[in-house]
Amino acid sequence: MGEFSADWLALREAADHRSRSPELAGEVARSFANQERISIVDLGCGTGSNLRALAPLLPREQTWRLVDHDEALLSAARDAISRWADDAEERSGDLFVTRAGRRLRISFVCANLARDLGTALGTACDLVTAAALLDLVSVEWIGLLAEEVARRKAAFYAVLNYTREERWSPLHPADADLFRTFHEHHARDKGFGSPAGSDLAAAVRRAFTDRHYRVRTADSPWHLGAEDAVLVQALATGIADAVRETGSVDAAVISDWLRHRLSGATCTVNHCDFFAAPSA
Ligand SMILES: C[S@@+](CC[C@H](N)C(=O)[O-])C[C@H]1O[C@@H](n2cnc3c(N)ncnc32)[C@H](O)[C@@H]1O
């Protein structure tokens, strides 16, 4: 159903994990350090990368609710988490795993976040999290999300939100045209209304401070070098495909740009992280 394949999510996982802001991750860990147990909802969970990054920072007893609208990704998440775990067992549809001294109970929920956010979140939780999701959503949806999170008195941690800024090396004469068109393509409605784009950080800050949350933001850029060649090539191919789909850049220019990018390019792709916690 979705436009995100399990292969693409697996390819980006290592870069995602090392790019998260360590300052914000440390703050999240400190916020819950005095608790024995915690319940977490992961929105747009894909194959569970966010859980694998975050679980080691959280209290020993964890209850996770993984939400996505793509059944195939939820099934891949079950498999990937079972492989990652020290021990895994299925009971009544939930997955029970242990990993490095932590015990996780994980439920998998297929829901469309654009339509059924309240249902997707469930009744109560301590932390709502999402990775690589907020660049898909509108300012209005961020307001609805903040309202639902605040109603549950939960904290909110969203990482790796693409800011539509990148630097590729070496330069190519078509870079400006290609990226302008790619950003236009990225600005298309993904089911949540018009994506917030450059208003994202301000929208998150406003939505949560209005509800008496303290909000911190930090950069989490991908720095992709020679050792990330496969990811760089997949990224360049995805950009070229998206630009081709618009029909607004000459096909020969796109092919030349892609050829150039497939032979040893490096890049920095900017993202940002947010952590919002209720004021005491
Ligand atoms: C860029 S992927 C990130 C996946 C995962 N969080 C990660 O970091 O690997 C975005 C995810 O959001 C999910 N998604 C997109 N629109 C959605 C919607 N309307 N409802 C639920 N999930 C959605 C996709 O299926 C995909 O798994």
Side-chain angles (χ1 to χ4, degrees):
M1 108 157 305
E3 55 179 314
F4 302 98
S5 72
D7 287 347
W8 164 246
L9 297 180
L11 195 52
R12 59 178 288 173
E13 181 159 335
D16 276 348
H17 285 197
R18 70 170 189 258
S19 304
R20 293 162 163 253
S21 156
E23 289 78 22
L24 258 60
E27 194 163 326
V28 173
R30 282 191 295 282
S31 296
F32 299 105
N34 295 330
Q35 298 180 201
E36 266 290 290
R37 53 188 68 245
I38 182 169
S39 63
I40 310 114
V41 181
D42 183 18
L43 302 177
C45 64
T47 63
S49 168
N50 195 21
L51 176 151
R52 287 185 287 281
L54 193 47
L57 306 179
L58 295 176
R60 209 165 63 83
E61 302 284 339
Q62 304 176 14
T63 305
W64 285 81
R65 183 177 174 90
L66 299 193
V67 184
D68 208 286
H69 65 162
D70 188 329
E71 288 276 15
L73 289 180
L74 287 170
S75 169
R78 219 178 254 276
D79 294 344
I81 293 167
S82 299
R83 286 194 302 274
W84 164 85
D86 297 329
D87 272 304
E89 188 192 346
E90 294 235 12
R91 269 184 274 144
S92 337
D94 286 354
L95 189 62
F96 291 75
V97 310
T98 59
R99 162 86 183 197
R102 271 138 180 102
R103 297 201 305 187
L104 287 68
R105 176 183 182 151
I106 306 158
S107 59
F108 298 85
V109 177
C110 191
N112 183 339
L113 296 168
R115 281 204 314 256
D116 303 320
L117 180 58
T119 316
L121 284 166
T123 48
C125 61
D126 301 303
L127 176 65
V128 176
T129 183
L133 180 76
L134 293 193
D135 46 84
L136 308 181
V137 309
S138 61
V139 169
E140 293 72 26
W141 190 84
I142 290 166
L144 296 175
L145 174 66
E147 185 61 33
E148 295 287 352
V149 171
R151 183 173 301 150
R152 290 162 179 77
K153 298 183 172 47
F156 178 66
Y157 180 44
V159 298
L160 297 158
N161 306 293
Y162 171 56
T163 62
R164 296 189 199 156
E165 298 159 310
E166 49 268 296
R167 279 191 314 282
W168 285 67
S169 178
L171 297 175
H172 185 279
D175 279 343
D177 273 357
L178 259 288
F179 284 112
R180 189 179 52 252
T181 310
F182 177 62
H183 295 159
E184 283 164 13
H185 184 278
H186 190 262
R188 291 180 180 178
D189 187 338
K190 310 288 192 307
F192 294 89
S194 187
S198 55
D199 295 333
L200 176 62
V204 170
R205 186 169 288 282
R206 193 170 50 246
F208 282 94
T209 51
D210 282 356
R211 291 166 176 88
H212 312 291
Y213 275 59
R214 287 174 288 108
V215 181
R216 282 203 55 197
T217 65
D219 293 333
S220 48
W222 277 352
H223 295 295
L224 305 181
E227 63 289 1
D228 305 300
V230 180
L231 177 56
V232 171
Q233 288 168 6
L235 187 59
T237 303
I239 291 168
D241 287 348
V243 171
R244 218 175 267 122
E245 208 183 295
T246 67
S248 46
V249 177
D250 189 85
V253 171
I254 302 173
S255 297
D256 185 66
W257 182 88
L258 183 57
R259 211 169 22 252
H260 193 71
R261 292 300 172 219
L262 294 181
S263 52
T266 61
C267 63
T268 294
V269 180
N270 283 351
H271 301 96
C272 63
D273 294 358
F274 303 104
F275 179 49
S279 299

